[in-house]
Structure formats: structure tokens, C-alpha cells
Amino acid sequence: MSAKLKVAVLGATGYSGMELTRLLLRHPRVETPVLLRRAENSNPTKTALGGPPSASGNDQINLADIFPVLSGNGNYPLEPLSWSSLKQKGVDLLFLATPHEVSRSLVPEAVAHGMRVIDLSGAWRLKQEQHRAIYKFKDDDAATAAELTGKAVYGLPELNGDKIPNATVIANPGCYATTVILGLAPLLKAGLADKQKGIIADSKSGVSGAGKEPSARTHFVSVADNLSAYGVFTHRHLGEIAEQLQLTTDEITFTPHLLPIPRGILSTIYVHLKHKIRAAEIESCYREFYKGKRFVRVFQTPKLPEIQFSLNTNYCDLGFCLAPDGQRLVIVSCEDNLIKGAAGQAVQNMNLMYGVNEGEGLL
Ligand SMILES: NC(=O)c1ccc[n+]([C@@H]2O[C@H](COP(=O)([O-])OP(=O)(O)OC[C@H]3O[C@@H](n4cnc5c(N)ncnc54)[C@H](OP(=O)(O)O)[C@@H]3O)[C@@H](O)[C@H]2O)c1
């Protein structure tokens, strides 16, 4: 591939869209992305700080006015979403860093206009109705939605790398789900886990995981100096964890927590093993599974990853400890929720879709 990729981002004013924009702006194989905002007739864009859309005093909204970290390197105008304009500009790939409902309605339109899509939301991740029901989608065209649901590829490169290059729609995985799936996949594939005894994934995330709009739960006063569990047995990521790992929701208990830090996830996963095993065998199982997968770092036991090790990177870090009885395993899995859990993984997927080196723009 020689010409640079022409891409667009909708949702660049949000946390994951902003990270995505920063990654794309310095990606050597991508033209300056077309940055999109809501269509003219919808609500005006609010700034991250809740101020007026633009400090420049005119109608043009510049992303650097919203995120001053971008200022000093030129203008990053936000254009209203228009399919004809995207077509005119030769945009082939659309990133959606938008709420689930918005992505659910826009993906069919984008595909109908001949575009490929990487969607960061949960709109297209789930194949099974029993899991998807939690989103309560009301599809305008049920037949098209069903077809796209079937075709969309769950964009976890370490598991589904062979399906990504030819995908039209990539459903970028959930942030928590990425840590739990990558933490468990080698063990389950090797048939070592005793699923009947139940697996527990206890996950903790920084507050940016909830997006830029503050709520009573994510308000500074609620979060600071605190740690709270939420979504117990009901969190949306349980469905994708179960589907990707071919588990039933009775076999895994997933409990997310809100940590008083801006970003980063740590998942502690508890597994009973079917039979007694040595730590060296577990380690070689993980190393073998992730051989050649450059964005998973397997730590040498007993060293465990910490949130800070993977911050601002596209790595998912894995480590484990085996109990003296050789049958109880604790896996620790960490990532930056906005990078490997969202924007970085989206760029990794784009690289694979267009035959670009998987790590381009990410290392
Ligand atoms: N945060 C994470 O760690 C994370 C990780 C993985 C996946 N995700 C998923 O990625 C998506 C974005 O998450 P986020 O945390 O970045 O959210 P966010 O900070 O709340 O940003 C949401 C973005 O969507 C835009 N938007 C909202 N309604 C829209 C509409 N009707 N039409 C067009 N654009 C609209 C917003 O634009 P305005 O500025 O105009 O409001 C904003 O740019 C979500 O689906 C989320 O579940 C997030």
C-alpha cells in the first residue's frame, strides 16, 4: 500500500475520539483525518469543559479550542457529518467514537455509502440476541441490522486477526472486555480451567472509561478517595466476554469497579484449574498463545503488571500467580482503557485492514 489512507472520525470531541485523533494525526500512513461533528440540525457540540463550542469567535469549531493540548500545530476544524462530502474527499474508512445508539444507526448508512467502519461502541459487538438485548436497540431496518450484525468482526486482533483484513465493519472491543478476554483466552483454549467451579473477573477502571459527560456516579466528589463496584451481573461487557470466550454467563462473574484515577484498567481474574500444574507450564501456555502478538506482554512469574506500566501505550500486560496447591490461578491483566481498550486497538485494526504493519503509529 503506497498512497496514504483517507479516514474520518466522528466523536473526536469525546475521550476516546480525541485519543484516536491524536494517534491518527501522527500516523505515517494516514492523511490528516477529516474530523466530524454532529449533523447541522442536531445539538451543538459542547466543549470538554462545558464552555462555548469555539474560542475563535466564529462558527467554525476547532478541536484545538476544545482540547488545548492540540493547539500550536495548526487548525483541526470539525465539519458536520455529510456522506456526499466524505465521498468527495475520497474517505474510505470511518471511525465512530460515538454512543452505542448513534453507532447503531450510522453504521448501516456508512456501509450503504461504500465505506468501511471501525466502531468503538458496543453497537455491533454482540452476535447473540440474549446478550445484545441489554442495549435495547430499535433498528429502523431490522433486516440490514441483522445482516451487519452477522458480518461485523469483533476487532480483537490477538484472537480474530485473520478476519480483520477483509472486514467491512469492525466492532472494536470494550475496554474491560479486552483485559478479561486476553487474560483468559490461552487458559481456556488449552482446556486448563475448571469452568464448573466458576471464573471471577474483578476489574477496576479509571473514570475516563465512562466518557466525558459527568454523572452523579462519576462526579469528582463521588469518585475521589473512593472505590465502588457497579453493574454487578449486569454490565454490558459480560456478553462480549462470554461470547468471545465461549462461556455461559453462569461460568463467569464479572464485577467492574470505578477507581479514582483518570485512566487505566486492572482486572484480577480468579480461576480454578482442572488439575495440578506447574507455573512454568502456565507461562509457556501464555507465551505460546501470544507468540508474535506484539501488543500483549506476558510477564515472567511472579512479576505482576500494574496500571502505570501500560498507560499511554497499546499494550495489554498479563501476569499470574499460582497457589501452592497448583490448582488456583490468579491472572492480572492491565491496559490503558483509552488506548488498547479503545483508540489504539482501533488503529491496530485499521493497520490490519489496510495491510499496514500492525504496530505502525502505535509504538
Ligand atoms: N471511554 C472509554 O474508555 C471507552 C473505551 C472503549 C469504548 N468506548 C466507547 O466509545 C464510544 C465513545 O466513548 P467516549 O468515552 O469517548 O465518549 P464521550 O467522551 O462521551 O464522547 C462521545 C462523543 O460522541 C459524540 N456524540 C454524542 N452524540 C452524538 C450524536 N448524536 N451524533 C454525533 N456525535 C455524537 C460526542 O460529541 P459532542 O461533543 O457533540 O457531545 C463526543 O464526541 C462509546 O460508545 C463508548 O462506549 C469508550
Side-chain angles (χ1 to χ4, degrees), residues 179-194:
T179 61
V180 177
I181 296 167
L182 293 177
L184 280 168
L187 205 65
L188 290 169
K189 182 165 182 241
L192 295 172
D194 185 344

Side-chain angles (χ1 to χ4, degrees), residues 10-18 36-39 42-47 66 96-100 102-103 106 119-122 125 172-175 205 207-213 237 337-338 341-343:
L10 178 63
T13 51
Y15 285 162
S16 51
M18 165 59 187
L36 302 168
R37 58 184 166 90
R38 299 166 191 237
S42 61
N43 291 335
T45 302
K46 284 178 266 168
T47 71
I66 299 172
L96 294 176
T98 44
H100 315 296
V102 176
S103 293
L106 284 181
D119 175 34
L120 276 67
S121 86
R125 292 178 194 150
N172 216 57
C175 47
S205 173
V207 189
S208 60
K212 68 174 182 166
E213 290 299 328
H237 291 186
N337 56 297
L338 294 176

Side-chain angles (χ1 to χ4, degrees), residues 204-277:
K204 297 171 179 75
S205 173
V207 189
S208 60
K212 68 174 182 166
E213 290 299 328
S215 68
R217 188 170 57 76
T218 61
H219 193 293
F220 177 82
V221 176
S222 312
V223 171
D225 300 326
N226 201 5
L227 177 63
S228 56
Y230 66 102
V232 185
F233 295 120
T234 59
H235 194 277
R236 288 174 168 136
H237 291 186
L238 176 61
E240 53 189 287
I241 293 168
E243 280 193 16
Q244 295 302 314
L245 293 173
Q246 293 166 3
L247 293 170
T248 68
T249 49
D250 294 338
E251 289 169 332
I252 182 153
T253 303
F254 166 60
T255 306
H257 299 76
L258 206 52
L259 267 182
I261 58 173
R263 58 203 279 173
I265 290 182
L266 184 147
S267 292
T268 311
I269 307 168
Y270 302 80
V271 188
H272 289 270
L273 302 176
K274 278 187 189 153
H275 53 79
K276 207 171 162 142
I277 199 164

